[in-house]
Structures are given as structure tokens and as C-alpha cells.
Amino acid sequence: MFSLSFLNSGLLIASLSAIIPILIYFFAKKRPDRVIFSSLKFIISSKEERNSKINLKNILLLIIRTLIILLLTLIFARPIFKTFIGIESNYHAPTTISIIADNSLSMDYYSDDTQRLELLKEKLKIINSKLTNEDYIRIYTKDNYVTGQKFMQGTIADTLIQNISLSYNNISLDSLVVKALRNSKNIETANHEIYLLTDGNEALTYHDSLNSIKYLLVDDNLEWNNFSAQINSAQIVSNNNIKQISIDFVVANYGENDVKDRLIRLNYNDRSYDRFISIEASKSWQGNFTIPIEKSGWQKGFIEVQDEYYSMDNRAYFSFFFNLYPNITFITENNKVSLPLRTMANIFAVNQDNVKFLAQNYVNNQLISDTDIFIFYKLTSIDSNIESLLKQLSSEEKGSLIVLSDNYDDSVTNYIENTFAIRLSSGVVKNIYPDWHNQYHKLISSIATNQLKELRFNDLVKAEASDKTALLLSSNNQPIIANNLDNYLFFFDDNNDFVTNTAYPVLMNKIFENISNSNLEISSSYLGNTIELTKQAEVNDNKMTSNNYTFTDLGIVKIRNRGDNILYTAVNLDENQRSESIIDKEESKGSYQNITENWESHLFSESGKFELLKYLLIAVLVLFVAELLIIKLSKS
């Protein structure tokens, strides 16, 4: 029923020093001087009486000093006395309490009209009310809330508990447990207990054979009647020459019940489009909204599913830039651009006035703000103006189309080799058919394989690729079309059968869409992500004082990063923040002990350890006083 242990058991070896007084007693005695007297009768009797008193005094002092050394050794070894008799929660030995409070986004779930985060706070307040002034408490949260900064002695203010809020941080509960175990060792109490309060939405895997962590599910109701919406893809489709946005989405039902007539809503540029769906339990439903694009610019909105239990993942936001009438600029030494390429540019731009021609010596970086697609036609050299423009396009992640000329200089050779890893050679290649294509690239996959094999190319600029990384179409390692990010490179002119093939308009339309970002690259980020801003940037029309910005709210965020360049970013939850795995209520995993049932009776259940330090100090003090009294009495 009782046990004794030591916090610093290694210091017990110092108890061997208790033999020192004994050795001194036996080997350091002073031999008395010999004095001759005429009569020894009375001296002998006096000597025997005096020796008996001295021996008694010395033995008592020896015992006292030996005990003092032993007790001092025990004091440094810090003995712990533990009783296994049941401990009442309202009375316990001084204890260091570490609490991991799960304030992840899933705690926003409502169960019986009460938010699970509020249920967690109620249980925290109960634990807090049972603390004494000799206890220490520290509450760890995913956002490192104030109570997680240090240990506090005694009960803490309920307002500190009430101010705990939801956090988007993805710090694992396991890592917070490890941190709590490490920090609790710095508090010198005999008893240490760790409680984890969670909703069971995060898997727990930490294992430690020396420590047991008690976890408490804040809600006895483990149902997760949640719906979430997520956008899979978005693309532009044409219907009777009307550009439309087609959004594919999925709605998931994580509950255990079938649901009928659940409202799904698309909010697009402040307009709403509704439909009702039915979803089976633990199933998902894939759907689509296709609506016309009415104007150029940023297209913004969200897909929403009606859900009264957990609102954090009800909406899936999206934003992208689309230009109905893109501006195309040909950079060429003359206006004699081939008819097929000019025709495709006019069709894609819709309005011929949006297609411009510019000589190299008139090129400057300000063209970027007014141009969606740059086409470098019959490029013969790259001067400082062209080089600066290409670098600026690259920094802003904008692409271009380069049509090579067979009359080029070293500046073109170096640029092509550095950008596409392709080495140009003098001369041209005639009459070849493709024997390899990148079947995984979305540009090439839009053309039927049999069409590719029938394409004949003539008068190609001679070149050789070091590998197939940048190649889209080639013949015997002779590049025909190359690609790097949104930069495209043609090794052929329009003097080919290819331009009369039905694959040509399909290919050119796809290239133009990719370069102008009309392929709907959705601008998105996740809650908690941090982006780097330029100086004097603005977020939601507020000037930033830092070069970094962290997304702390869901929705559409307006960013003015440089000059008048405005970006709208959709901020959503990531996969971890939508996690739906529930811990088995009856199961304890790793080092975790489930105390959900009658949880209050488990509080301080291991706080039966009492330090004997103060009692040992009192005993040492008493022995010191006894030693002084014995010495004083012997002298008197």
C-alpha cells in the first residue's frame, strides 16, 4: 500500500560518507598523558566514572553525526513517499498539471446546440477549480495561447480559459504532449499529471512506456454529421461563341444518415445559383455549375453546402483571372506575320484591334501591363530590351510564344539553351514526321494520336535536346515544339502541312489560353499559409508593415503587391483541417488512457506522492540542536 522512491537516486551513493565519523572515532582518539601519583585509589575510581560518561557522550555524538550525514544524503536524493490508497480529488498532494487543450478548427462543431470548444472550456474550468495554491498548471494550445507560455501557481482566472479561441495551426497533439512532458520536469513537485482534452478528430500515436497521458473526449456524442464542399477543377468552355466557366465540385456527407434535399449554392460575382441534392451516409456527390462569363477581370465566388453543425468547411472559395478580349502583341522586325498565325491571334483576341505589331527597338517593360500574350516572331537576336522583357515576364510568371528564325545569333542560342536545355545548330531539317510526343502534357493530349503521326513538318530550325524534359513534340530528338512553364517554342514556320490540319487551331487556342492564364489557374491558398509581400503592399486595402502575411480568415483576400497589380486569393481549409477520423471511445492508444467515463474521478488519481524533504530538514535541525546540547552539557 506504500512505496518509497527517489527523484535523484544516483546521489544515494553519498550515504557511504556516513562511515567517516565512525572511522574518526576509532582511529583518531588522542592518547592521554601519563602522570605518576603516590596514591591511585581515588583516581582510579574517578577515572572509571569519567570514562563511562565520556564513552556515552561520544557514542551519542557518533550516532547523531552519522544520522546527520545520512539525512543530508536523503535530502539531496529527494525521497518520495507514495500511498496507493484512493486519493480524493478535492485533497491531493502538490501536483504539476499540464493540459493539452485541442482548439483545432474541428472544435467549432455544434453538438446539441453547443460548440465543442465551449464544452472543452467547461471541463477546463472544473479542473481549474480543484487546484490548490501548491499546484502548478499550464495549458497548451495549438496557437501557443498565453497559458501555454509558462506554469502558473494555483488556480488561474476563468477569463484566460474563456479567451481560448479556435486555431488554424496544424501543430499535432502528439507534439504538444512531448512538449508538456519535457517542460513539466522543470517544476519540482512530486506529482505530475497530463490531461488531453479533445474532440477525437486527430489520430494519437505517441508512445512512452514511462508516462501515461489521460485523454478526455469533451463530447460524449461522437457523431460527425458534417458536410463539406470542395472544388475539384474549373475550365473555360464555349457554347455558341459564349465563354462559360465550368466548375466541378464535390460535396461529402460524413454523417451516418442519408440526407435529402440539401441546398447547394454557387455564389459567383455576387450572383447566386441554387440546386438541391440528396447524399447517402458516408458518401460524396460530384456536381457541376456552368455559367456564362459576362466581363473580363477577376472572377470570384464560392460553392456552399447548407450545414448547421460545422460551418468551417461549408464553403469552397475560388478566384481566377480571365480576359474575354486578350491583348496580343507580336514583336517582329516587320509586320509580315504568316496568315494562319495572324488569323488564330485575331480569333482568340475576338477584336482585331487587340492585336498589335511592334519592332524590337520599341520594346519596354511597360508593355507587360497592357499585354496578355507576347509572340516573338522570327526572333533573330535578343538585345537588352528583349532580355529585360523576358526576365520581367519570368518574374511575374507570365509566358510567351517564340517562333524561331533560321537566321539567329549567339544571344538566341544562349537563351534557348538556358531556358529549354536545347542546343541550336546551323541549317534546317526537311520533311520529318513526329515519332515522339509528351502524352502527359495537357496541350498535346488534346490532339488525337493518329493526327500527330500524320503531321509533316518542313524547314525546321536544326537543334538537339539534351533530354526530353522540355519537349512536347519531336522527331529523332529533333525538337518540333518545346515548352518550359508557360513559354512555348516553335522550331517551324507556317510553311508546313501542319497549319492546314484541324489540329493546328486546337493547338494554338490551347497555347494562347495557357500563356494568357485563361486556362483558369485558380489563385488559392490555405488557412495559416504565409506569403511574402513587397514593400508598401496592401491586403484588403490595409497597408502592411511586414513583408510577410499569414492568412487567418477564410474567404477571398485582395492583395495589392506591387503598384496597381491586384491579386485575389481564395483561402480555404487544407486536407488536415478537414480531417474526420474519430477516436474509438472505448479504446486507449499508445500512451493515452481514455478517462471519458466518470472523468472527474480520475483527476489527481496519481497524486499520492509526498516529498519527505521538509520532514528530513526538521530531523536534521533537531539532531544539530541535540549535538549542541550534548556538547554544552558535557562541558558544564
Side-chain angles (χ1 to χ4, degrees):
M1 297 177 66
F2 305 97
S3 69
L4 184 67
S5 60
F6 299 88
L7 294 181
N8 301 318
S9 57
L11 296 179
L12 288 175
I13 194 172
S15 61
L16 295 176
S17 61
I19 199 174
I20 294 176
I22 299 174
L23 294 176
I24 293 175
Y25 177 78
F26 285 106
F27 297 103
K29 286 184 178 181
K30 183 179 180 181
R31 297 181 65 82
D33 297 334
R34 187 175 181 180
V35 181
I36 300 175
F37 290 89
S38 59
S39 177
L40 300 177
K41 178 180 177 181
F42 296 105
I43 294 177
I44 291 173
S45 62
S46 173
K47 175 185 177 184
E48 291 175 351
E49 182 180 352
R50 183 173 178 272
N51 283 345
S52 63
K53 291 180 179 180
I54 291 174
N55 287 336
L56 177 61
K57 181 197 73 171
N58 289 339
I59 291 173
L60 287 175
L61 290 176
L62 175 64
I63 294 173
I64 289 173
R65 288 165 181 169
T66 302
L67 287 175
I68 288 175
I69 293 176
L70 289 174
L71 290 176
L72 287 174
T73 302
L74 290 176
I75 288 174
F76 287 111
R78 295 186 62 187
I80 301 295
F81 177 77
K82 182 175 182 180
T83 175
F84 293 94
I85 298 176
I87 306 294
E88 293 292 335
S89 295
N90 292 328
Y91 177 76
H92 55 271
T95 306
T96 297
I97 301 294
S98 300
I99 302 177
I100 291 87
D102 182 3
N103 62 332
S104 55
L105 296 178
S106 62
M107 297 293 285
D108 190 45
Y109 184 87
Y110 278 77
S111 176
D112 297 328
D113 299 326
T114 304
Q115 186 191 44
R116 282 180 173 167
L117 183 64
E118 291 302 317
L119 295 176
L120 178 143
K121 293 177 183 178
E122 291 175 6
K123 289 176 172 56
L124 278 178
K125 291 176 182 177
I126 293 175
I127 297 174
N128 185 48
S129 67
K130 295 181 181 296
L131 298 179
T132 68
N133 291 333
E134 294 182 326
D135 294 326
Y136 290 86
I137 183 173
R138 186 169 180 176
I139 301 176
Y140 297 84
T141 59
K142 293 201 171 189
D143 55 353
N144 199 24
Y145 182 56
V146 62
T147 54
Q149 305 283 336
K150 60 182 180 180
F151 281 97
M152 298 183 180
Q153 189 170 5
T155 58
I156 61 176
D158 281 348
T159 53
L160 290 177
I161 296 176
Q162 195 59 42
N163 289 337
I164 295 176
S165 59
L166 296 170
S167 172
Y168 53 79
N169 289 333
N170 284 330
I171 300 174
S172 70
L173 296 177
D174 282 330
S175 66
L176 290 178
V177 168
V178 173
K179 184 178 180 181
L181 286 171
R182 182 176 63 249
N183 292 339
S184 65
K185 296 178 181 178
N186 299 326
I187 302 298
E188 296 184 354
T189 60
N191 302 282
H192 298 267
E193 293 202 3
I194 296 181
Y195 303 126
L196 168 60
L197 278 64
T198 178
D199 63 349
N201 252 284
E202 182 176 328
L204 304 173
T205 59
Y206 175 75
H207 181 76
D208 185 347
S209 58
L210 300 178
N211 298 286
S212 176
I213 297 93
K214 300 173 182 176
Y215 80 81
L216 165 63
L217 296 176
V218 298
D219 186 7
D220 290 336
N221 179 12
L222 289 182
E223 291 182 355
W224 187 259
N225 295 315
N226 180 43
F227 285 79
S228 70
Q230 186 176 1
I231 294 175
N232 283 344
S233 64
Q235 59 182 341
I236 291 294
V237 296
S238 296
N239 185 8
N240 296 326
N241 294 326
I242 297 176
K243 296 289 186 180
Q244 295 179 316
I245 173 69
S246 177
I247 300 177
D248 294 325
F249 63 93
V250 60
V251 175
N253 176 10
Y254 296 105
E256 299 177 354
N257 301 314
D258 297 345
V259 175
K260 295 182 178 181
D261 299 328
R262 184 57 57 104
L263 175 65
I264 305 297
R265 171 171 294 168
L266 167 65
N267 182 290
Y268 173 67
N269 288 349
D270 297 327
R271 290 191 178 186
S272 296
Y273 304 84
D274 296 344
R275 69 174 54 173
F276 291 88
I277 64 172
S278 298
I279 314 178
E280 296 180 11
S282 303
K283 299 289 185 179
S284 59
W285 186 89
Q286 295 186 357
N288 172 273
F289 280 107
T290 300
I291 51 178
I293 298 177
E294 298 179 349
K295 60 181 180 179
S296 299
W298 281 97
Q299 319 294 316
K300 312 182 290 290
F302 55 83
I303 299 287
E304 181 179 30
V305 57
Q306 183 186 44
D307 181 12
E308 63 274 18
Y309 293 103
Y310 181 59
S311 61
M312 298 296 292
D313 58 358
N314 285 5
R315 292 182 178 182
Y317 294 90
F318 64 89
S319 64
F320 59 89
F321 186 85
F322 181 76
N323 195 349
L324 282 171
Y325 313 106
N327 295 313
I328 301 176
T329 298
F330 282 90
I331 298 176
T332 178
E333 290 305 314
N334 54 65
N335 292 343
K336 295 181 180 179
V337 176
S338 64
L339 181 60
L341 184 56
R342 183 198 294 261
T343 302
M344 288 305 307
N346 290 338
I347 293 174
F348 190 80
V350 181
N351 188 341
Q352 294 186 14
D353 293 337
N354 290 352
V355 181
K356 298 179 175 60
F357 300 87
L358 198 66
Q360 283 191 212
N361 56 331
Y362 290 103
V363 170
N364 59 73
N365 288 5
Q366 294 183 356
L367 291 170
I368 295 179
S369 60
D370 300 324
T371 304
D372 297 294
I373 300 173
F374 283 96
I375 301 176
F376 299 89
Y377 186 76
K378 294 288 188 177
L379 190 65
T380 59
S381 65
I382 298 179
D383 57 19
S384 59
N385 292 339
I386 298 294
E387 183 180 13
S388 177
L389 177 60
L390 290 171
K391 287 182 178 179
Q392 187 66 25
L393 287 171
S394 177
S395 67
E396 296 187 15
E397 298 182 355
K398 292 185 177 181
S400 63
L401 170 62
I402 298 176
V403 180
L404 287 176
S405 168
D406 56 3
N407 181 22
Y408 54 85
D409 62 14
D410 291 340
S411 62
V412 176
T413 301
N414 294 333
Y415 175 78
I416 298 303
E417 187 169 5
N418 293 333
T419 305
F420 298 93
I422 295 175
R423 182 67 179 175
L424 300 181
S425 304
S426 59
V428 296
V429 178
K430 297 181 177 292
N431 297 325
I432 63 172
Y433 292 85
D435 61 7
W436 183 87
H437 64 278
N438 187 347
Q439 59 181 329
Y440 302 105
H441 195 281
K442 57 186 177 182
L443 186 70
I444 299 300
S445 62
S446 62
I447 304 174
T449 303
N450 58 345
Q451 283 184 292
L452 291 173
K453 293 179 179 179
E454 296 174 358
L455 300 177
R456 183 176 68 87
F457 291 88
N458 198 27
D459 296 334
L460 280 82
V461 176
K462 192 174 182 180
E464 184 176 2
S466 58
D467 55 52
K468 289 183 167 28
T469 303
L471 295 182
L472 296 183
L473 198 64
S474 66
S475 176
N476 195 23
N477 211 32
Q478 162 64 46
I480 300 175
I481 302 176
N483 161 251
N484 179 27
L485 300 178
D486 287 326
N487 297 295
Y488 295 87
L489 180 62
F490 282 3
F491 289 80
F492 61 92
D493 193 5
D494 292 334
N495 184 24
N496 284 278
D497 294 343
F498 175 46
V499 298
T500 61
N501 192 286
T502 56
Y504 182 74
V506 175
L507 178 72
M508 294 310 303
N509 188 69
K510 290 289 184 182
I511 288 178
F512 288 156
E513 283 184 349
N514 290 352
I515 295 175
S516 65
N517 293 324
S518 298
N519 57 336
L520 299 191
E521 291 292 340
I522 296 180
S523 177
S524 63
S525 190
Y526 295 119
L527 198 65
N529 282 6
T530 300
I531 60 173
E532 186 174 347
L533 301 174
T534 58
K535 291 183 178 180
Q536 298 180 343
E538 295 181 2
V539 176
N540 290 335
D541 297 326
N542 296 317
K543 290 185 178 180
M544 294 292 101
T545 57
S546 172
N547 290 338
N548 294 321
Y549 177 77
T550 300
F551 296 107
T552 58
D553 297 300
L554 299 171
I556 306 294
V557 178
K558 177 184 177 182
I559 301 174
R560 188 189 299 271
N561 207 11
R562 53 167 71 89
D564 293 327
N565 184 22
I566 296 177
L567 170 71
Y568 288 91
T569 296
V571 182
N572 292 296
L573 301 179
D574 67 11
E575 290 294 335
N576 293 328
Q577 293 165 337
R578 288 196 299 266
S579 174
E580 315 302 337
S581 58
I582 301 294
I583 297 175
D584 187 344
K585 182 178 178 181
E586 303 298 332
E587 185 180 355
S588 296
K589 299 183 178 181
S591 296
Y592 295 95
Q593 176 190 357
N594 193 333
I595 62 168
T596 303
E597 295 291 342
N598 301 318
W599 65 275
E600 289 190 54
S601 64
H602 292 277
L603 297 179
F604 307 101
S605 61
E606 296 182 7
S607 299
K609 297 178 181 178
F610 295 85
E611 279 207 62
L612 301 178
L613 182 62
K614 61 181 179 182
Y615 304 106
L616 293 175
L617 287 172
I618 293 173
V620 169
L621 181 61
V622 170
L623 290 174
F624 267 121
V625 172
E627 181 182 11
L628 292 175
L629 288 175
I630 291 173
I631 294 174
K632 186 174 182 179
L633 290 174
S634 65
K635 288 182 178 180
S636 64

